[in-house]
C-alpha cells in the first residue's frame, strides 16, 4: 500500500513536477539530468589526450555528461569545425590548420619555429595577443577556444650518418612530408627537398631509400617504428604540435557565468596534466632511442629558426598575418 507524502513542501514540489510534465513543459532545473555534450577527435583511446578528456568529463559531471567519439568515428578528420559551427557537435579537438582555412590570419600559428616549446605555446595563448586570436575565432567562426592541446614536437629523423647542424646541411635531402601545400612549405623552410608521401608508406620509403628522412613527434616515431630504419634523430624542434579544445558557442552561451568558469577551469586543469605527460614521454623516448643506437643530438636551432622564418615571411601565407605579431611572439619568454 502506498503512503501519501506527509511533508506539504515536498508534496507541492512533486505536484509542480507533475503539472510541468502534464503541460508539456520542462522539468525544474534541479530535477533535470546533466546535459549531454558530444566530443569528437581524431586521436584514439590510447592517446594521452583521451585520458585528458576523461579527467575533464569527471570534473564537469555534475552539469554535463561528456560523450566521447574518438578515432574520427562521429566526424571524419577536418570536418569537426564545420560540425561545431552548424550546431551538429558540442565539443571538438580542432587542428589550427582547419581554423586557418577559414581565418587566414591564423596561418601564422601553424608556421615553423613560431613556438619554442609547450610552455611558450601556453604563454602565447594566455597573453593579450592570444586572447585576440581566440576572439577572432569566436567572432568569425562562432566557436569558443578553451585552450591549446599540445601533443608533441616535430623533429627530423634521417637514414644517413651525415651530421646536420644548419639548414644548408639538409640541401638535397629527400624529407618525407605529409601531402599538402602547407606541409611542403614547412619542409622547404627546413632547407630540405620535401617529398609528399602518405604516413602509412613512410616506413617502406625509408627502408627502400625512396626518402632520406621524415619528420614527426617522437611518440609517432615509436608507434610507427621509424627508428628501426633511421640512423639519427636531429632534435630540430621545428614545429610544436597542438590542436585546440573547442566548444560550440551555442553550448557555451547556454551556461550561466558560474558554470562557464567551472567548465573553463576543468579544461585548464586537464590540458595542463596532458601537456606535462607529453613532455615527460618525449624526454623518455629521446633517451630510449639513444640507448637503442640512434645518434640523437640538437643542431643549431637559432640558424634553423632564422632560415625558416625568412622562408615563411616570403610566402603568400604571411600576407594575412597580423602586423607585428611574429615579433611579439618571438619576444615572449
Amino acid at each position: 500500500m502506498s503512503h501519501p507524502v506527509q511533508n506539504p513542501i515536498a508534496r507541492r514540489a512533486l505536484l509542480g513536477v507533475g503539472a510541468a510534465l502534464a503541460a508539456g513543459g520542462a522539468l525544474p532545473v534541479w530535477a533535470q539530468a546533466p546535459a549531454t555534450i558530444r566530443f569528437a577527435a581524431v586521436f584514439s583511446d590510447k592517446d594521452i589526450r583521451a585520458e585528458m578528456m576523461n579527467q575533464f568529463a569527471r570534473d564537469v559531471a555534475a552539469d554535463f555528461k561528456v560523450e566521447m567519439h574518438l578515432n574520427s568515428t562521429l566526424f571524419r578528420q577536418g570536418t569537426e569545425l564545420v560540425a561545431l559551427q552548424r550546431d551538429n557537435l558540442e565539443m571538438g579537438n580542432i587542428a589550427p590548420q582547419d581554423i586557418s582555412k577559414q581565418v587566414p590570419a591564423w596561418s601564422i600559428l601553424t608556421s615553423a619555429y613560431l613556438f619554442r616549446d609547450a610552455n611558450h605555446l601556453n604563454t602565447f595563448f594566455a597573453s593579450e595577443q592570444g586572447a585576440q586570436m581566440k576572439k577572432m575565432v569566436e567572432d568569425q567562426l562562432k566557436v569558443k577556444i578553451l585552450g591549446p592541446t599540445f601533443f608533441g614536437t616535430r623533429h627530423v629523423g634521417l637514414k644517413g650518418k651525415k651530421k646536420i647542424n644548419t639548414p644548408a646541411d639538409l640541401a638535397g635531402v629527400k624529407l618525407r612530408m605529409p601531402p599538402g601545400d602547407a606541409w611542403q612549405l614547412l619542409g622547404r623552410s627546413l632547407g630540405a627537398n620535401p617529398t609528399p608521401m602518405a604516413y602509412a608508406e613512410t616506413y617502406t620509403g625509408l627502408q627502400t631509400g625512396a626518402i632520406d628522412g621524415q619528420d614527426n613527434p617522437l611518440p609517432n616515431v615509436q608507434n610507427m617504428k621509424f627508428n628501426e630504419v633511421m640512423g639519427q634523430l636531429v632534435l630540430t624542434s621545428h614545429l610544436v604540435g597542438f590542436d585546440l579544445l573547442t566548444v560550440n558557442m551555442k553550448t557555451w552561451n547556454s551556461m550561466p557565468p558560474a558554470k562557464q568558469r567551472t567548465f573553463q577551469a576543468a579544461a585548464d586543469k586537464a590540458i595542463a596534466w596532458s601537456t606535462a605527460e607529453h613532455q615527460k614521454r618525449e624526454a623518455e623516448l629521446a633517451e630510449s632511442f639513444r640507448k637503442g643506437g640512434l645518434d640523437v643530438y640538437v643542431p643549431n636551432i637559432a640558424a634553423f629558426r632564422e632560415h625558416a622564418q625568412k622562408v615563411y615571411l616570403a610566402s603568400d601565407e604571411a600576407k594575412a598575418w597580423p602586423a607585428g605579431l611574429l615579433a611579439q611572439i618571438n619576444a615572449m619568454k
Side-chain angles (χ1 to χ4, degrees):
M1 180 178 175
S2 61
H3 296 280
V5 177
Q6 299 300 320
N7 185 326
I9 296 175
R11 186 170 182 274
R12 283 197 300 272
L14 287 174
L15 287 172
V17 172
L21 289 172
L27 285 173
V29 172
W30 54 263
Q32 291 177 5
T36 296
I37 284 184
R38 293 165 304 161
F39 170 76
V42 301
F43 53 73
S44 75
D45 60 355
K46 306 289 189 241
D47 196 289
I48 290 171
R49 290 167 295 174
E51 177 55 29
M52 170 189 83
M53 289 307 299
N54 288 334
Q55 292 186 21
F56 172 81
R58 289 194 291 270
D59 284 347
V60 300
D63 301 306
F64 301 99
K65 177 190 174 186
V66 181
E67 197 178 84
M68 302 287 190
H69 298 273
L70 308 181
N71 276 319
S72 299
T73 51
L74 187 60
F75 293 99
R76 61 184 174 80
Q77 185 172 10
T79 66
E80 306 96 338
L81 177 56
V82 173
L84 287 166
Q85 292 173 285
R86 292 179 176 174
D87 297 336
N88 293 329
L89 179 66
E90 290 75 46
M91 285 188 76
N93 196 58
I94 307 300
Q97 288 85 353
D98 291 338
I99 292 176
S100 70
K101 288 175 187 174
Q102 295 192 47
V103 185
W106 258 70
S107 66
I108 188 173
L109 301 184
T110 69
S111 62
Y113 289 105
L114 183 72
F115 299 116
R116 295 183 294 275
D117 50 33
N119 294 331
H120 187 203
L121 169 73
N122 291 329
T123 296
F124 166 74
F125 275 97
S127 71
E128 181 184 341
Q129 291 88 346
Q132 290 170 358
M133 295 297 280
K134 286 187 283 189
K135 188 173 188 307
M136 193 183 294
V137 171
E138 285 185 34
D139 292 344
Q140 296 184 37
L141 306 188
K142 307 303 180 188
V143 294
K144 167 81 176 175
I145 291 175
L146 298 169
T149 53
F150 169 75
F151 60 84
T153 305
R154 296 181 84 94
H155 304 288
V156 169
L158 299 172
K159 289 188 68 172
K161 295 291 184 183
K162 178 190 173 185
K163 278 279 190 181
I164 305 298
N165 190 47
T166 69
D169 298 325
L170 283 176
V173 170
K174 292 178 289 185
L175 185 67
R176 176 268 169 184
M177 300 298 296
D181 292 344
W183 290 108
Q184 304 312 297
L185 176 60
L186 175 62
R188 289 196 303 276
S189 79
L190 297 174
N193 176 21
T195 304
M197 181 177 286
Y199 188 50
E201 297 170 8
T202 303
Y203 184 99
T204 304
L206 286 165
Q207 199 173 36
T208 61
I211 51 173
D212 303 314
Q214 57 76 40
D215 87 307
N216 267 292
L218 300 190
N220 293 27
V221 173
Q222 180 193 43
N223 292 342
M224 300 297 285
K225 300 184 174 10
F226 294 152
N227 52 299
E228 296 178 351
V229 283
M230 286 166 24
Q232 58 176 307
L233 182 61
V234 191
L235 298 176
T236 48
S237 302
H238 54 272
L239 193 70
V240 171
F242 71 98
D243 289 327
L244 290 309
L245 185 59
T246 310
V247 63
N248 162 288
M249 194 60 80
K250 180 181 177 181
T251 303
W252 178 255
N253 288 336
S254 72
M255 303 179 205
K259 295 286 189 246
Q260 288 180 344
R261 288 192 291 273
T262 302
F263 201 84
Q264 181 67 64
D268 291 343
K269 176 183 168 186
I271 288 171
W273 174 85
S274 176
T275 298
E277 285 296 304
H278 277 97
Q279 290 173 311
K280 178 183 171 187
R281 181 181 287 184
E282 285 189 308
E284 291 170 350
L285 284 174
E287 185 56 32
S288 171
F289 291 146
R290 187 177 282 111
K291 288 180 178 175
L294 284 187
D295 187 10
V296 182
Y297 61 94
V298 179
N300 184 337
I301 297 293
F304 270 97
R305 176 176 289 113
E306 182 182 1
H307 181 270
Q309 291 194 345
K310 279 182 181 176
V311 170
Y312 272 90
L313 285 171
S315 72
D316 288 338
E317 278 193 10
K319 293 173 184 174
W321 292 1
L325 184 58
L326 177 60
Q328 290 169 349
I329 295 175
N330 283 343
M332 289 180 183
K333 302 301 182 188

